[in-house]
Amino acid sequence: MTEIEKTAYPRFSKYKVLSSKELREIYTPNGEEILLAEKYTKDPQNKLKFLIILKTFQRLGYFVSMAEIPQLIKKHIAICIQLPEEKTEVNYSNQKTFHSHKQIVRKLLGVKAFDSEAQDLAKNIGQECAYKINNLPDIINNIIEELIYKRYELPAFGTLNKIANNCRATTNNILFKKICDSIPENIKGSLEDLIKITANNKSGYNEIKMLPKKPTFNNLANFIAQHNWLLSFGAVKKYLPELAKSKLKEFVQEAKLVD
């Protein structure tokens, strides 16, 4: 699972206290929104609930349970509509009401629910990005950006992570197969030999990763010998025509970490 902190997925921070300025500028319902709340709800508590999910959805782009919303936001909105502080402990005991309020909020904001079409869009964007980049948080961020642009509600972060992961795996398998199919059998044999462990518990792959030592005469001779050995594999760039430079660079970084 990708760390959510490495992505642009909007969320309430567990460690940051909302400032008075943020509450005032982001979570204060305007006159029109208050009138709409009065139109669609029958009592002060439902009015408060409606405004809470409206203002938090405007900020996040998806609905969260009342328990996940910071108490400061609830209190601030309650003060805005002149509700007593003790009335801010709200929850949707009736799920039909919650569903109804969500439908109204989507309609008011012109946002569509994350349906099968949105899922297909996310997959297409993820697949397209995966041909250019390999970093999962970057793929997730591109999907988020496109969903917001197309006016879709964001799904749970786990859903985005799964879609991005599958897109990357599928794309990489396609690329790897194309590359593998283009490599001559004799070169494949040489590459296979690189991962065979020798008697001293080393492999040819270890030799590829070996860094130059101090420039003594013996070390320089060994380095030249290693360089000539690497050249014996021939030009390998011609087997990587479909790889974007950024993606190739990320593959190189991954390869350096593998023993």
Side-chain angles (χ1 to χ4, degrees), residues 127 130-131 163-176:
Q127 199 98 18
Y131 275 101
I163 291 171
N165 226 327
N166 289 342
C167 288
R168 184 176 68 172
T170 301
T171 302
N172 285 352
N173 285 335
I174 292 170
L175 289 171
F176 294 156

Side-chain angles (χ1 to χ4, degrees), residues 64-83:
V64 293
S65 68
M66 283 291 172
E68 296 175 77
I69 299 172
Q71 191 64 20
L72 275 174
I73 294 174
K74 299 174 189 175
K75 286 184 178 180
H76 173 74
I77 295 175
I79 290 169
C80 290
I81 59 173
Q82 300 178 334
L83 262 185

Side-chain angles (χ1 to χ4, degrees), residues 124-151:
N124 290 337
I125 294 300
Q127 199 98 18
E128 186 180 319
C129 290
Y131 275 101
K132 302 171 187 175
I133 52 180
N134 203 55
N135 187 35
L136 208 54
D138 288 339
I139 297 173
I140 291 171
N141 288 345
N142 276 278
I143 295 173
I144 290 172
E145 184 179 355
E146 189 65 19
L147 287 174
I148 292 173
Y149 177 73
K150 292 290 177 66
R151 305 295 295 165

Side-chain angles (χ1 to χ4, degrees), residues 116 153 162 178-179 210 225 235:
S116 58
E153 178 182 337
K162 184 178 179 180
K178 283 184 178 180
I179 292 167
M210 187 175 67

Side-chain angles (χ1 to χ4, degrees), residues 14-251:
K14 295 178 182 178
Y15 312 104
K16 181 186 174 185
V17 178
L18 290 163
S19 67
S20 299
K21 183 181 178 183
E22 286 175 303
L23 289 170
R24 185 174 63 255
E25 293 182 355
I26 301 172
Y27 299 104
T28 300
N30 60 38
E32 185 181 351
E33 289 167 342
I34 292 173
L35 287 175
L36 284 169
E38 289 172 350
K39 176 183 176 182
Y40 291 113
T41 59
K42 295 180 180 179
D43 61 73
Q45 281 295 90
N46 276 339
K47 178 181 174 182
L48 176 59
K49 295 173 195 175
F50 178 84
L51 287 171
I52 289 171
I53 67 165
L54 171 63
K55 300 309 293 182
T56 53
F57 186 92
Q58 287 173 335
R59 176 68 180 89
L60 300 176
Y62 60 94
F63 295 104
V64 293
S65 68
M66 283 291 172
E68 296 175 77
I69 299 172
Q71 191 64 20
L72 275 174
I73 294 174
K74 299 174 189 175
K75 286 184 178 180
H76 173 74
I77 295 175
I79 290 169
C80 290
I81 59 173
Q82 300 178 334
L83 262 185
E85 187 174 316
E86 63 268 16
K87 299 288 186 180
T88 61
E89 289 297 332
V90 291
N91 206 343
Y92 276 102
S93 54
N94 188 331
Q95 288 303 305
K96 286 185 178 179
T97 303
F98 186 35
H99 178 72
S100 174
H101 285 184
K102 287 194 293 184
Q103 294 283 72
I104 295 166
V105 167
R106 289 190 189 107
K107 185 176 179 180
L108 288 173
L109 300 179
V111 175
K112 296 167 282 188
F114 187 79
D115 54 14
S116 58
E117 286 187 12
Q119 191 163 20
D120 289 341
L121 173 66
K123 288 176 182 178
N124 290 337
I125 294 300
Q127 199 98 18
E128 186 180 319
C129 290
Y131 275 101
K132 302 171 187 175
I133 52 180
N134 203 55
N135 187 35
L136 208 54
D138 288 339
I139 297 173
I140 291 171
N141 288 345
N142 276 278
I143 295 173
I144 290 172
E145 184 179 355
E146 189 65 19
L147 287 174
I148 292 173
Y149 177 73
K150 292 290 177 66
R151 305 295 295 165
Y152 277 110
E153 178 182 337
L154 294 179
F157 181 74
T159 301
L160 285 176
N161 185 77
K162 184 178 179 180
I163 291 171
N165 226 327
N166 289 342
C167 288
R168 184 176 68 172
T170 301
T171 302
N172 285 352
N173 285 335
I174 292 170
L175 289 171
F176 294 156
K177 187 177 186 308
K178 283 184 178 180
I179 292 167
C180 190
D181 289 346
S182 69
I183 298 174
E185 290 301 320
N186 62 316
I187 299 294
K188 284 183 185 177
S190 299
L191 293 173
E192 291 287 348
D193 288 340
L194 286 177
I195 58 174
K196 292 178 180 177
I197 306 298
T198 59
N200 60 355
N201 205 30
K202 291 283 183 74
S203 70
Y205 187 63
N206 292 118
E207 297 298 319
I208 285 181
K209 293 176 64 177
M210 187 175 67
L211 297 174
K213 298 178 182 178
K214 291 182 179 180
T216 64
F217 181 79
N218 286 338
N219 287 342
L220 188 58
N222 290 336
F223 183 68
I224 291 172
Q226 186 201 26
H227 181 254
N228 290 335
W229 170 65
L230 289 172
L231 290 178
S232 70
F233 287 94
V236 295
K237 281 188 177 179
K238 61 184 177 182
Y239 303 123
L240 310 171
E242 292 194 31
L243 281 183
K245 288 183 179 179
S246 57
K247 195 169 180 76
L248 180 58
K249 187 176 180 180
E250 289 173 357
F251 281 149

